[in-house]
Amino acid sequence: MTGAQRTIGVGVIGAGWLGDVHARAWGRLRHHYADLGVTPQFVAVADSVPGARDAAVAKHGFATAYGDWRELIADPRIEAVSVTAPNALHREIGVAVAAAGKHLWIEKPVGLCAADAQAVADAVAAAGVQGTVGFNYRAVPASARLRELVADGAIGMPTHARVRLLTDYAAHPLGTLTWRYGLASGGHGVLGDLASHAVDLTRYVLGDLAGLVARTAVFIPERPVLQEGAQTYGHGLGDPEAPKGAVENEDYVMAMMRTHAGVLVALECSRVAVGEQNNYGIEVHGTTGLIEWDFRTPGELRLSTGSTYADQPTQRLFVGPGAGEHGRFQPGSSIPTSYDDTKVVELAGFVRSILSGTSEGPVLADAVASAEALDAMVRSAAGAGWVTL
Ligand SMILES: NC(=O)c1ccc[n+]([C@@H]2O[C@H](COP(=O)([O-])OP(=O)(O)OC[C@H]3O[C@@H](n4cnc5c(N)ncnc54)[C@H](O)[C@@H]3O)[C@@H](O)[C@H]2O)c1
């Protein structure tokens, strides 16, 4: 799509880690997708913390900084809004963005539960605006290639799979009690944070889920409360002498899921897995083969394909131009794309949706489907056993 040259006025709400990643993606859109003919204008950033919004202005050149996100949404110069605030604000902000007639690029998991994601989906549909959700592991060229190979029968009929997101960001017991650990502020714990991606990746590769059973656990039940003005220790660690508050959501989830096509999927996600750093990936077994992607080696797949069954070799397959959007970033195979690149790919889909009026995934229906699976995991873990979706 080329279209006429035009500008899009951009607002970013929540200038933390992902707000910065979204702003970087807007800044790089033309580097990789000049053919879209769109020049983003950094109109405004909103953050309740002055230092955070000032840093975003200094770094990305936003023309205006707001302390109240409502002012940003009311700004007539803004056509598209990145919502990268904490989960508890997704519903209210997402609904308000759509109701103001602005296009919405919102981070996963879209609220605290499926009802929140549904409310945002309804608002986007009612307003006739575009909505894109931050399920960026779909945007990895190797994921796109893996999905294609599975669909093309390279491993026969898919039978069973494993999806994992294991990491250690919450493994230190002195990690402070941020919004992520509260039910009202963060909603689900590792479910919303990591399992939301795992469910989406599973659906992207293997189709919709029919049901699941899950168990969850909290391994670090309390953490130091971050005192106003208090010093933090090392990498976001709290004062060992500070009072402690309760962790209200799960550190770990293990689930068995079944797709409508009958594929059994083992899911395991942890935010407290000592020794694991972003050990994310998916492995799919089929009647004649195996295919695997690991986040830590993003530009390659492991593929076993053929007709020899036992002792069938597994090859290392480097993905290159032709796999997903790889060619937009690198000219050859084995030059991997990055985490930030996935957000540029996601943004390009969002912008194409705005230009054409036809939505590209991941959309809000995907956030609702993921959130319904997460809610089902909570019910299952609380004693409901197998939950049909
Ligand atoms: N797609 C991914 O890979 C990915 C990765 C990390 C986080 N996320 C999602 O991004 C979102 C933000 O996560 P993060 O890691 O950037 O968190 P963060 O804590 O680094 O940033 C959140 C920002 O929102 C600001 N904020 C809080 N209340 C606000 C308010 N009322 N108005 C405006 N700003 C407010 C905070 O001051 C902070 O700067 C979450 O929903 C999270 O699930 C997605």
Side-chain angles (χ1 to χ4, degrees):
M1 184 190 316
T2 47
Q5 286 291 322
R6 58 168 292 193
T7 59
I8 291 184
V10 174
V12 174
I13 300 178
W17 174 27
L18 261 285
D20 196 33
V21 173
H22 276 228
R24 288 204 294 271
W26 281 108
R28 290 177 55 208
L29 181 71
R30 284 183 64 87
H31 301 176
H32 302 282
Y33 293 89
D35 53 315
L36 292 178
V38 165
T39 302
Q41 303 284 312
F42 285 79
V43 176
V45 60
D47 199 293
S48 48
V49 175
R53 54 181 189 263
D54 292 348
V57 167
K59 186 166 178 180
H60 302 290
F62 289 101
T64 309
Y66 294 115
D68 185 342
W69 55 265
R70 290 168 193 82
E71 291 181 75
L72 183 147
I73 291 175
D75 189 324
R77 298 169 296 171
I78 291 175
E79 183 182 357
V81 182
S82 279
V83 177
T84 51
N87 302 352
L89 296 167
H90 288 179
R91 179 177 184 155
E92 193 186 0
I93 298 176
V95 168
V97 168
K102 295 171 196 259
H103 302 292
L104 175 68
W105 182 19
I106 187 165
E107 266 312 320
K108 42 61 59 178
V110 189
L112 306 179
C113 57
D116 285 356
Q118 188 63 59
V120 180
D122 291 346
V124 162
V129 295
Q130 295 299 326
T132 293
V133 179
F135 287 127
N136 42 289
Y137 296 115
R138 290 178 178 221
V140 178
S143 303
R145 187 81 186 112
L146 182 149
R147 181 193 202 218
E148 225 168 52
L149 285 163
V150 169
D152 289 351
I155 60 166
M157 284 283 287
T159 50
H160 57 293
R162 286 180 297 282
V163 60
R164 66 181 191 284
L165 280 91
L166 306 172
T167 198
D168 60 358
Y169 73 78
H172 201 300
L174 289 180
T176 48
L177 197 67
T178 66
W179 63 265
R180 283 196 157 79
Y181 303 99
L183 276 178
S185 50
H188 303 307
V190 77
L191 285 171
D193 220 16
L194 300 181
S196 53
H197 280 300
V199 169
D200 188 68
L201 197 52
T202 302
R203 291 182 58 251
Y204 176 64
V205 174
L206 297 168
D208 278 332
L209 301 177
L212 58 83
V213 63
R215 286 292 176 271
T216 60
V218 180
F219 296 125
I220 302 179
E222 50 178 30
R223 294 175 177 278
V225 175
L226 187 57
Q227 311 283 64
E228 189 77 32
Q231 223 186 335
T232 56
Y233 290 78
H235 188 61
L237 300 184
D239 181 345
E241 305 305 322
K244 295 212 167 129
V247 170
E248 296 174 342
N249 51 30
E250 70 296 323
D251 290 325
Y252 175 84
V253 59
M254 175 189 284
M256 184 177 81
M257 314 188 291
R258 186 175 180 278
T259 70
H260 281 296
V263 183
L264 290 176
V265 185
L267 171 150
E268 189 183 21
C269 296
S270 176
R271 62 186 181 188
V272 296
V274 175
E276 299 287 11
Q277 292 86 35
N278 303 308
N279 177 359
Y280 304 162
I282 185 166
E283 297 157 63
V284 185
H285 295 266
T287 47
T288 61
L290 158 74
I291 189 158
E292 181 192 353
W293 172 71
D294 186 322
F295 174 80
R296 298 163 299 178
T297 48
E300 61 185 81
L301 296 169
R302 279 190 347 116
L303 175 67
S304 181
T305 186
S307 55
T308 54
Y309 301 98
D311 295 330
Q312 180 168 284
T314 300
Q315 58 182 305
R316 187 180 181 198
L317 193 73
F318 291 113
V319 299
E325 302 283 285
H326 187 101
R328 294 278 185 169
F329 296 85
Q330 301 296 348
S333 298
S334 92
I335 312 172
T337 55
S338 72
Y339 175 82
D340 271 31
D341 293 342
T342 66
K343 283 294 177 195
V344 180
V345 173
E346 192 174 280
L347 171 59
F350 178 50
V351 169
R352 275 195 299 268
S353 304
I354 294 172
L355 297 180
S356 69
T358 304
S359 306
E360 280 186 30
V363 293
L364 283 147
D366 296 305
V368 173
S370 168
E372 282 172 346
L374 304 183
D375 287 2
M377 287 179 198
V378 173
R379 289 202 301 283
S380 175
W386 184 264
V387 179
T388 301
L389 289 164

